[in-house]
Amino acid sequence: MSASTFQTNSKAIKWIESRLPVISFVHESLVVYPTPKNLNYWWNFGSLAGIALVIQIVTGIVLSMHYTPHVSLAFNSVEHIMRDVNYGWLLRYIHANGASMFFIVVYVHICRGLYFGSYKAPREILWWLGLVIFLLMMATAFMGYVLPWGQMSFWGATVITNLFSAFPVVGKSIVTWLWGGFSVDNATLNRFYSLHFLLPFAIVGVVVVHIWALHTTKSNNPLGIDIKGPQDTLPFHPYYTVKDMFGLGVFMTVFALFVFFAPNYMGHPDNYIPANPLVTPAHIVPEWYFLPYYAILRSVPDKLGGVVLMFGSILLMFAMPWLDFSRVRSARFRPIFKQAYWLFVINAVVLGYIGGQPPEGMYIIIGRIATTYYFVHLLVLVPLISLFERPLPLPESISNAVLGGSAVPKGAAAAPEKH
Amino acid sequence: MDQRWMRKLAIGALALGTVAIASGAAWSSTGQMEPAEQEWHHQGITGTFDKAAAQRGLQVYKEVCSACHSMNLVAYRTLADLGYSEEQVKALAAEAEVQDGPNDEGEMFTRPGRPYDHFKAPFANEKAARAANGGAYPPDMSLLVKAREDGENYIYALLNGYADAPAGHEVPEGKYYNPYYPGGNISMPPPLSDGAVTYQDGTEATRAQMAHDVITFLSWTAEPKLDERHRMGVIVVAFLVIFTGILFAAYRRVWKDVH
């Protein structure tokens, strides 16, 4: 990034700039940053994810001033927040629903990347960093759900930490090490609290690098073609600041509807029962955003196999840039990939549904079919489609397509796809 | 092409919502009867607690439920939210004998309750509660409405749902048949019968009336800030809708000349 576009006559700003070029940096990355002019609303979700993270950190820090991480005090300290702390109920409901909103936004953000081929060259590292953020989010959310020390907190923690016992030889030792004892107990709660406080700041760090990578490669766009010149872009400000603000308004409205009118809708009633190691809930289910992975875990009759497939389902995403080697990024020009994509999304929703059901009868069979399809899609269908699909002709440039010029047939772009 | 795409996404979002609902509903699929929907004054986005009903419900709790069920999370001082005066709150608290201490001699002593005390529990600990209730542990009632799926309607159905066991259903000694309870056999004897309390405000104390009143009270103990939450929510959402509209206008205006 060159600082050449930033100019000022202010002596004070020049003084700062010559010592730390922070003002030109902000200018480059938030004001003049060249952004494709054809981004649609699905590109709003990146900034929304960043804002959701900030909301979680701010509310979380205030909540931590009133919460007590001890097995005999944690549950009541949360109720103290709900009853006695000024606007404590509001903070806690924002934080609890904010986690769900964060996941909704990030799932849309990931799906957008998958549809428009945002993981392809030159954005592989950008994609990986996003997946690292996603994994850190999952760890953070899981440990946060343990903190109120309700029944689902305790039993969720027990089920998930026990997964590590599936690893041969060292499994049991790993679980004892994770627990800090021989069962989920006070030591577990304390370390989860510590890590739940730490990891969001690790996420902030990876987000910074994620944005660094983004600003290096520049944004992808719905056409999936490269920026050819200034005529294809707009400065980030005011065009995308105002569009992101509008998206934020819609997001906050939906968020507020949950917080004020259905604050426990995405929670589980059992978590209003204090944790009791002697009473197991009828159905132990994780938070909704983990259900597809929970379904994959339970679809495999072998415990180790289930754990490997569950983690594998996310780790495989790191290989997307090579599993999909079609040169066309956007699914708009990939008629077969597009259909496979929607089947994959529907399949993921089916997995989520199965994850919330008891593992019995038809649910097991459907879960196994959906799990198989998840991996067949990524490992078989995506490479095969890359090989055999004949993409539609790509437009000449972003500005040509935006100006309404019909997609100019470009034989040169389509032909090499036959390999 | 874009519109078709939007439609598909909408279908996807809808399906995702269905998953959320279905996963919530899964909990109640343990074979018991589904409770019927009742009318609650505090439901809906502008719902507020029916304070007269909640006050009657407090009376039912005090005279019936509190013999076995604790209310550990609720302080007497918070009863002011139900419309009691400061004097009334003091009097309600003073009805309980609470243990305090140690005093300067190192002795524990009892004194009348004060507004800052929490509701006095009927039993000293879980073991004592079980010993007095045939081995069953009456759950603390503070959060009961939120700790059960469809809490208000479930508890209403349960309180009014005691019946003779159908042929072939074995009810163990010391249990009672209630089709709304998981498994059908509940340790709690039917707690409410017509006229079990005499309401001070003259309302006829039918079983259904008492159930309705005590659940209104329990909804308040589980979610005491509901009125404030609804009031604030209407204002916040109204503001956000208007503000988002302004932002949309700003967005359209800024983008007017972009092609």
Side-chain angles (χ1 to χ4, degrees):
Chain A
M1 271 176 270
S2 67
S4 59
T5 60
F6 179 71
Q7 272 156 13
T8 179
N9 291 322
S10 158
K11 281 200 169 137
I13 289 176
K14 278 181 178 160
W15 187 89
I16 296 170
E17 272 295 304
S18 58
R19 286 155 181 80
L20 182 72
V22 63
I23 295 163
S24 60
F25 177 75
V26 170
H27 182 77
E28 296 297 322
S29 39
L30 282 176
V31 180
V32 295
Y33 172 68
T35 315
K37 66 204 295 187
N38 61 334
L39 299 189
N40 57 30
Y41 283 121
W42 302 110
W43 263 263
N44 277 57
F45 287 82
S47 72
L48 288 181
I51 290 161
L53 175 62
V54 171
I55 291 172
Q56 290 305 89
I57 288 177
V58 171
T59 53
I61 285 172
V62 182
L63 287 170
S64 77
M65 296 173 187
H66 302 279
Y67 168 79
T68 312
H70 187 280
V71 288
S72 56
L73 300 170
F75 187 89
N76 282 4
S77 78
V78 172
E79 280 304 314
H80 159 70
I81 290 168
M82 292 296 286
R83 289 157 196 271
D84 300 328
V85 174
N86 291 333
Y87 299 105
W89 59 270
L90 180 59
L91 285 167
R92 174 168 172 260
Y93 279 154
I94 291 174
H95 197 73
N97 286 283
S100 283
M101 298 306 291
F102 196 4
F103 272 95
I104 290 171
V105 164
V106 163
Y107 277 130
V108 174
H109 190 60
I110 293 172
C111 285
R112 188 269 285 155
L114 285 172
Y115 186 87
F116 294 106
S118 301
Y119 46 84
K120 293 188 185 188
R123 298 186 180 83
E124 299 94 326
I125 292 180
L126 177 60
W127 172 252
W128 290 344
L129 289 165
L131 289 171
V132 169
I133 293 168
F134 180 54
L135 288 170
L136 286 172
M137 270 178 71
M138 293 176 96
T140 308
F142 161 66
M143 287 189 279
Y145 194 59
V146 176
L147 301 186
W149 210 242
Q151 272 291 67
M152 275 301 158
S153 300
F154 178 86
W155 289 99
T158 302
V159 168
I160 301 301
T161 49
N162 258 316
L163 294 179
F164 292 90
S165 72
F167 291 106
V169 188
V170 292
K172 282 261 186 281
S173 308
I174 291 176
V175 173
T176 307
W177 177 71
L178 286 174
W179 286 341
F182 299 100
S183 64
V184 174
D185 208 331
N186 199 50
T188 325
L189 177 59
N190 272 288
R191 61 192 52 198
F192 278 20
Y193 179 52
S194 176
L195 293 172
H196 183 72
F197 208 126
L198 169 71
L199 289 186
F201 297 97
I203 293 176
V204 169
V206 186
V207 166
V208 169
V209 187
H210 187 68
I211 295 169
W212 183 11
L214 171 71
H215 285 215
T216 305
T217 63
K218 304 288 181 270
S219 301
N220 186 26
N221 65 81
L223 297 172
I225 57 177
D226 290 331
I227 296 168
K228 300 266 161 58
Q231 71 282 3
D232 289 346
T233 66
L234 293 167
F236 191 78
H237 180 75
Y239 294 100
Y240 285 103
T241 42
V242 73
K243 193 175 180 184
D244 280 352
M245 282 299 289
F246 166 59
L248 177 63
V250 175
F251 170 75
M252 293 299 281
T253 306
V254 175
F255 194 171
L257 287 172
F258 275 108
V259 166
F260 290 102
F261 303 121
N264 294 302
Y265 178 74
M266 291 187 280
H268 195 293
D270 274 22
N271 230 25
Y272 280 111
I273 303 171
N276 185 348
L278 301 176
V279 178
T280 317
H283 298 297
I284 302 173
V285 287
E287 290 276 79
W288 69 265
Y289 38 80
F290 291 138
L291 289 175
Y293 306 102
Y294 197 52
I296 292 175
L297 171 76
R298 296 194 303 182
S299 290
V300 186
D302 174 65
K303 191 173 175 184
L304 179 60
V307 173
V308 167
L309 281 203
M310 182 179 71
F311 286 115
S313 65
I314 300 172
L315 295 180
L316 207 50
M317 285 284 167
F318 282 88
M320 266 316 272
W322 296 276
L323 292 169
D324 175 8
F325 47 83
S326 166
R327 286 206 208 156
V328 176
R329 293 196 191 99
S330 174
R332 279 196 186 170
F333 305 103
R334 304 185 59 192
I336 301 172
F337 178 87
K338 180 157 63 181
Q339 290 174 27
Y341 169 87
W342 286 111
L343 281 176
F344 182 69
V345 171
I346 291 165
N347 187 64
V349 173
V350 169
L351 278 171
Y353 171 76
I354 295 297
Q357 301 303 316
E360 57 198 27
M362 271 309 280
Y363 296 132
I364 295 182
I365 298 164
I366 298 170
R368 285 182 182 162
I369 294 170
T371 299
T372 309
Y373 187 78
Y374 183 98
F375 287 96
V376 166
H377 172 87
L378 291 177
L379 290 171
V380 181
L381 295 182
V382 165
L384 283 181
I385 292 168
S386 311
L387 196 59
F388 291 112
E389 182 182 49
R390 190 186 163 82
L392 304 176
L394 292 174
E396 194 73 50
S397 73
I398 293 172
S399 56
N400 267 0
V402 172
L403 279 168
S406 56
V408 182
K410 199 181 175 195
E417 297 310 317
K418 285 189 281 187
H419 289 273
Chain B
M1 187 184 306
D2 230 0
Q3 272 214 326
R4 209 172 63 220
W5 202 79
M6 296 276 259
R7 203 163 53 236
K8 280 176 180 169
L9 242 281
I11 293 167
L14 210 71
L16 211 70
T18 319
V19 172
I21 295 163
S23 58
W27 187 79
S28 60
S29 64
T30 39
Q32 77 253 42
M33 267 170 76
E34 291 284 331
E37 287 273 326
Q38 306 295 328
E39 291 275 323
W40 302 102
H41 196 268
H42 56 273
Q43 72 191 10
I45 61 167
T46 54
T48 52
F49 287 119
D50 178 348
K51 287 182 183 170
Q55 290 199 2
R56 291 195 298 271
L58 170 64
Q59 188 185 347
V60 175
Y61 170 74
K62 270 172 38 184
E63 294 179 19
V64 183
C65 320
S66 71
C68 301
H69 291 276
S70 59
M71 184 66 81
N72 293 333
L73 298 172
V74 180
Y76 294 110
R77 60 181 159 77
T78 60
L79 290 172
D81 294 353
L82 292 182
Y84 291 103
S85 69
E86 205 180 319
E87 291 312 309
Q88 286 173 310
V89 169
K90 278 184 183 163
L92 282 162
E95 287 173 22
E97 279 281 303
V98 302
Q99 197 183 42
D100 202 346
N103 62 15
D104 292 345
E105 282 75 48
E107 307 290 335
M108 302 302 281
F109 60 92
T110 59
R111 57 163 175 78
R114 304 218 178 95
Y116 56 73
D117 286 316
H118 282 213
F119 275 47
K120 195 194 175 189
F123 301 104
N125 52 57
E126 183 180 336
K127 288 268 160 73
R130 284 189 190 277
N133 287 284
Y137 180 44
D140 184 86
M141 278 187 158
S142 319
L143 284 168
L144 206 57
V145 166
K146 287 203 288 190
R148 299 292 182 274
E149 188 68 46
D150 196 13
E152 288 102 334
N153 295 324
Y154 165 71
I155 298 170
Y156 186 90
L158 190 82
L159 289 174
N160 291 294
Y162 284 89
D164 294 327
H169 181 96
E170 192 73 34
V171 181
E173 181 71 26
K175 300 262 184 188
Y176 303 85
Y177 178 71
N178 193 318
Y180 296 98
Y181 192 73
N185 303 316
I186 187 168
S187 298
M188 175 171 69
L192 299 177
S193 54
D194 290 346
V197 303
T198 307
Y199 279 136
Q200 285 151 354
D201 66 1
T203 306
E204 197 191 344
T206 62
R207 185 179 67 191
Q209 181 68 43
M210 286 184 289
H212 175 271
D213 292 344
V214 80
I215 291 163
T216 300
F217 174 66
L218 293 178
S219 303
W220 171 77
T221 65
E223 187 75 12
K225 309 292 184 180
L226 177 139
D227 285 6
E228 187 185 359
R229 172 158 62 76
H230 284 177
R231 206 164 46 231
M232 191 190 291
V234 169
I235 296 166
V236 168
V237 171
F239 167 79
L240 282 171
V241 167
I242 294 165
F243 188 53
T244 305
I246 293 170
L247 287 169
F248 182 69
Y251 160 54
R252 292 301 291 264
R253 173 138 189 186
V254 167
W255 279 71
K256 193 164 45 113
D257 298 324
V258 178
H259 297 290

